[in-house]
Amino acid sequence: MDDETRQRYIRAGRISAEALEYGKGLIKKGSSLLETTELIEKKILELGGKPAFPVQISCDHIAAHYCPEQDDSVVFGNQLVSLDLGVHVDGAVGDTAYTIDLSGNYPDAVKAAQQALAEALKIVGVGVTLGEIGKAIQDTIAGYGLAPVRNLSGHGIDIYNIHTEPTVPNCDTHDKTVLRKGQVIAIEPFATTGLGMVQESGAASVFMLVAKKPVRNPITREVLRRIESYEGLPFCRRWLVREFGQKTNYALRELAMLGMIEQFPPLVEVKKGVVAQAEHTVLIEEEPVVLTRL
Ligand code: MN
Ligand code: MN
């Protein structure tokens, strides 16, 4: 990685960390989830970054991919609230998450996810295997009597690409692939009171452009031009509704039919266990750099 790119990652990481700190302060009983999401996205822009994906706030048994629609009416109450955000600076991404227990009922879930991340960060580095990272996470979470979510994982990050090789597991997969200098990876343990598996549930509000095809319809073309400005990073319906109103759903339906967008429905724990998450983005060097830590 050249020095200019490295500086972009460092900047994206720092803005992610600052936006996460800001967001943590907004998650309070009685606050609106939609307003909180929009304030955090505004903060990211003020800090000089752009959202690498829509801010995700997933409550209780929802593990990931919950992103409010324009008319979302959820108000925080006695919930376990996971805030997951990403910031990019010219395509270099920082991805970070934190869970707040407003219910007071699940202190161990929060601690297990955070401790698992801490243990993984203690061992991460050049030559460490993916299986070793997964084992550190699994053992730590199991030590709290909880389960890691096995079908969610951390991931490699590349320019304008938030999910690439390698897959960074949350359990011991015995994967012997080693981490290499110059890789950027996100480590993201999920701890649950449930079985440790998630499945898709409900309608997607998060999408990603995955193919280029000729589009004839002028409405769809207009919306597609905005979607192309996200450079292949995920986006949400809310961003488009703000600009295009009712045209949005028409265009999204057509793009889905054409196979041009991938949809990401909310991921829910299969036994309705509550799920806590912690996440940092790390630059693998001889001395690994935790990019999203203040
Ligand atoms: Mn994330
Ligand atoms: Mn991630």
Side-chain angles (χ1 to χ4, degrees):
M1 180 182 300
D2 63 55
D3 195 53
E4 192 270 332
T5 307
R6 192 174 183 280
Q7 290 309 318
R8 272 194 280 153
Y9 273 110
I10 286 171
R11 224 174 130 224
R14 184 168 307 135
I15 296 170
S16 313
E18 285 172 11
L20 193 77
E21 274 308 302
Y22 170 76
K24 277 153 78 171
L26 298 176
I27 295 173
K28 292 185 184 128
K29 285 182 198 178
S31 299
S32 130
L33 189 149
L34 173 63
E35 196 189 346
T36 301
T37 302
E38 296 204 315
L39 284 170
I40 297 168
E41 288 176 353
K42 191 164 153 247
K43 185 63 149 186
I44 290 170
L45 295 172
E46 282 168 12
L47 292 168
K50 285 183 181 171
F53 52 83
V55 167
Q56 316 276 298
I57 303 181
S58 305
C59 296
D60 292 335
H61 58 275
I62 305 173
H65 297 171
Y66 188 89
C67 177
E69 300 285 9
Q70 198 63 28
D71 56 356
D72 190 288
S73 58
V74 172
V75 172
F76 296 122
N78 285 319
Q79 289 142 325
L80 188 67
V81 183
S82 294
L83 167 62
D84 187 339
L85 64 85
V87 171
H88 82 88
V89 173
D90 296 327
V93 174
D95 184 2
T96 186
Y98 188 85
T99 298
I100 291 174
D101 181 15
L102 293 178
S103 76
N105 294 328
Y106 306 107
D108 277 3
V110 173
K111 270 191 269 173
Q114 276 169 17
Q115 191 59 37
L117 177 58
E119 296 299 328
L121 291 174
K122 274 183 202 165
I123 62 164
V124 74
V126 177
V128 173
T129 71
L130 296 166
E132 288 169 315
I133 304 275
K135 184 175 189 316
I137 289 170
Q138 179 178 337
D139 288 352
T140 306
I141 292 173
Y144 285 86
L146 298 169
V149 175
R150 296 189 304 278
N151 63 341
L152 284 175
S153 47
H155 47 91
I157 288 173
D158 208 342
I159 298 296
Y160 287 113
N161 187 351
I162 60 155
H163 283 137
T164 184
E165 290 298 302
T167 294
V168 183
N170 287 324
C171 56
D172 187 6
T173 54
H174 304 284
D175 188 337
K176 297 285 192 284
T177 312
V178 295
L179 293 171
R180 300 184 316 273
K181 188 170 189 278
Q183 280 182 313
V184 178
I185 61 164
I187 303 177
E188 50 182 309
F190 293 81
T192 180
T193 57
L195 201 63
M197 293 290 280
V198 293
Q199 61 190 8
E200 293 184 345
S201 173
S205 58
V206 182
F207 308 87
M208 193 168 80
L209 188 63
V210 291
K212 278 200 170 167
K213 287 182 187 171
V215 173
R216 280 224 169 83
N217 185 289
I219 292 175
T220 306
R221 282 168 71 136
E222 187 188 354
V223 176
L224 179 60
R225 267 198 297 279
R226 167 61 57 217
I227 291 173
E228 282 171 342
S229 76
Y230 306 132
E231 303 279 358
L233 291 168
F235 60 91
C236 59
R237 193 193 318 267
R238 173 173 46 87
W239 291 355
L240 297 171
V241 166
R242 217 154 44 194
E243 187 173 352
F244 300 106
Q246 294 187 343
K247 294 175 181 173
T248 303
N249 285 340
Y250 177 89
L252 286 176
R253 264 197 305 275
E254 190 178 11
L255 293 171
M257 258 175 345
L258 290 165
M260 292 174 67
I261 53 173
E262 193 177 340
Q263 313 196 32
F264 300 95
L267 295 170
V268 171
E269 215 286 325
V270 293
K271 292 290 182 201
K272 296 279 164 79
V274 297
V275 183
Q277 178 196 12
E279 181 174 21
H280 273 309
T281 301
V282 185
L283 170 60
I284 305 298
E285 294 186 333
E286 291 307 330
E287 278 295 321
V289 185
V290 183
L291 295 163
T292 48
R293 193 153 60 190
L294 276 179

